[in-house]
Amino acid sequence: MADNDGLGAITSLPTQTRRKTYEHVYRALRHALITGRIPEGTHLVETELADQLGVSRTPVRDALRRLESDGFVARGTAGGLWSRGISPDEIEDLFLLRTELDKLAARLACERAKPEQWAEPKSLIVAMGAAIDRFGTGSEEFGQAHLAFHTSIYRIAFGSRFAGLLDNYLLQCLDVAAELSYRDPASALPAVQQHEDLLAELSCGDVVRAVAAAEAHVRRSADDAHRASSDTALS
């Protein structure tokens, strides 16, 4: 098992972000685990994490429980919590699930959308670009804009009620998939261009093209995730 050096990769949260402390702690830890900044097998000590993040132990404890439930953290045989990596098979399963969900969403959105509904995802691509310019692709701000873009497509496809049902665990999967895909933005097609191309096809009125574009978008993301995961394992 690795020692605690990997915990130094997490910086203290800015003061202005502490209004939703638990969510920020969860996302910060999950991002560090997914990207390998906290190596697999690192002992996660609650008090140390709280000190490094500049928060109390309560949100850290709650975040670790959620991460354990999500499979990013495992309890050791002698006690304590340890970081857990994501296997290639798990990455593949994650993207298989997302492929089927996004293909269905693409078909329904293409069939059901009113012209004015495309304005929201278009504006969220602009927000993605602004987040990248200011904070970078690996930032929480980019992650939120990216998730909001895909959520807006699901709302067009499924309506507000059923899109809301996806808003818990399934959209968590999409969020994790994005963090895997964009962990090495230098090797991926620029995120803004990817989503501009996808939106153009979704809104073209041709269901076959829309579904094919959604499938290609997810497959590209999966390839980027596998490549970044392999690079991390070799480093």
Side-chain angles (χ1 to χ4, degrees):
M1 293 258 181
D3 58 23
N4 290 342
D5 291 345
L7 300 181
I10 306 175
T11 57
S12 177
L13 292 172
T15 301
Q16 65 268 27
T17 68
R18 293 181 188 171
R19 287 171 296 179
K20 297 181 179 179
T21 306
Y22 158 70
E23 188 64 29
H24 283 286
V25 170
Y26 170 76
R27 290 181 64 88
L29 289 174
R30 190 186 67 181
H31 180 72
L33 290 162
I34 288 172
T35 58
R37 292 171 62 192
I38 296 180
E40 182 174 3
T42 297
H43 187 199
L44 302 173
V45 181
E46 187 180 297
T47 53
E48 293 179 3
L49 290 171
D51 288 344
Q52 289 171 14
L53 290 167
V55 298
S56 70
R57 292 174 61 180
T58 299
V60 173
R61 184 183 307 118
D62 292 341
L64 288 173
R65 285 174 182 158
R66 183 173 171 187
L67 288 164
E68 184 179 7
S69 176
D70 291 347
F72 293 109
V73 169
R75 197 165 294 277
T77 54
L81 293 172
W82 303 80
S83 60
R84 180 180 176 274
I86 302 178
S87 71
D89 286 345
E90 288 174 322
I91 294 174
E92 187 63 26
D93 286 346
L94 176 62
F95 282 97
L96 283 173
L97 172 63
R98 188 180 160 196
T99 297
E100 296 308 312
L101 178 62
D102 280 19
K103 285 168 60 180
L104 176 59
R107 177 172 68 80
L108 294 178
C110 189
E111 292 173 344
R112 296 174 173 177
K114 298 178 176 66
E116 64 271 16
Q117 287 182 289
W118 297 115
E120 182 182 18
K122 185 175 181 179
S123 70
L124 289 166
I125 294 175
V126 175
M128 269 191 264
I132 291 169
D133 290 343
R134 187 172 179 187
F135 302 104
T137 309
S139 66
E140 182 176 342
E141 288 79 6
F142 167 76
Q144 290 174 340
H146 177 267
L147 185 61
F149 170 85
H150 285 281
T151 302
S152 72
I153 302 299
Y154 296 157
R155 266 199 306 273
I156 294 170
F158 304 116
S160 296
R161 175 172 295 180
F162 288 102
L165 296 177
L166 302 175
D167 198 26
N168 293 318
Y169 197 76
L170 282 178
L171 288 188
Q172 292 283 340
C173 290
L174 191 149
D175 210 14
V176 171
E179 291 201 45
L180 287 165
S181 301
Y182 297 113
R183 70 162 71 175
D184 184 13
S187 68
L189 185 68
V192 170
Q193 182 182 339
Q194 285 192 43
H195 291 85
E196 286 175 341
D197 293 347
L198 174 63
L199 185 60
E201 295 300 289
L202 293 178
S203 59
C204 74
D206 185 320
V207 170
V208 173
R209 283 174 55 185
V211 172
E215 185 172 16
H217 179 75
V218 178
R219 177 42 54 190
R220 184 184 299 114
S221 297
D223 290 344
D224 292 338
H226 280 295
R227 181 167 52 251
S229 180
S230 297
D231 291 344
T232 299
L234 292 173
S235 62

